[in-house]
Amino acid sequence: YLDIVLLVLRISIAFFMIRHGLPKLEKLIAGGEIKFANPFGLGPAISLALVVFAEFFCSILIGIGLGTRLASIPLIITMLVAAFITHGGDPIGKKESALMYLLIYLVLMVVGSGKFSLDYLLTRTKEQK
């Protein structure tokens, strides 16, 4: 049952996070002046690109179960920044979704992607050779 739960969790969380990342990707490729949070002083464009990498591209990897543990790391960092820096002074209600995402990404980093994933398929294929 764990593998089915991990499959549902991966696909669901990927779908939900891609919905956050897609508008940011569109903003990034649209050109023009980028207005975005800049918590580390890297510049708004670089900060936005890092968030797009995590929320959009890493979410796709998690959804298909490819490099799930590694793909979870940028998302964990992004959710930590969202909860404790971007919304650091806000009430818990503003931090809540970032914290819930964070918990899911922590589980995926520790447990992995399960049997129904490209990670499992590739590992199994490699072991058979």
Side-chain angles (χ1 to χ4, degrees):
Y1 295 111
L2 177 61
D3 294 310
I4 293 170
V5 170
L6 286 171
L7 174 66
V8 170
L9 181 69
R10 281 191 358 258
I11 291 172
S12 300
I13 204 69
F15 172 77
F16 293 133
M17 187 53 72
I18 287 169
R19 292 189 62 224
H20 286 278
L22 185 58
K24 293 173 183 132
L25 174 62
E26 291 168 348
K27 179 187 237 182
L28 185 65
I29 61 177
E33 183 183 357
I34 293 176
K35 293 182 180 181
F36 193 74
N38 185 21
F40 299 112
L42 301 172
I46 292 173
S47 296
L48 178 59
L50 290 170
V51 170
V52 166
F53 170 74
E55 291 184 359
F56 187 79
F57 294 105
C58 290
S59 290
I60 291 171
L61 292 174
I62 285 174
I64 63 174
L66 181 61
T68 301
R69 287 186 163 118
L70 285 175
S72 296
I73 295 169
L75 286 155
I76 288 168
I77 294 167
T78 302
M79 294 305 105
L80 284 168
V81 170
F84 298 110
I85 296 175
T86 306
H87 295 291
D90 293 340
I92 191 71
K94 287 276 191 179
K95 301 174 188 183
E96 192 172 9
S97 65
L99 293 171
M100 285 192 285
Y101 278 115
L102 173 63
L103 291 173
I104 292 169
Y105 295 131
L106 285 169
V107 168
L108 290 172
M109 186 179 74
V110 171
V111 177
S113 55
K115 272 189 191 178
F116 304 113
S117 66
L118 286 178
D119 287 338
Y120 181 80
L121 181 66
L122 293 172
T123 303
R124 202 168 151 207
T125 304
K126 193 190 312 184
E127 288 174 358
Q128 289 176 349
K129 289 183 179 181

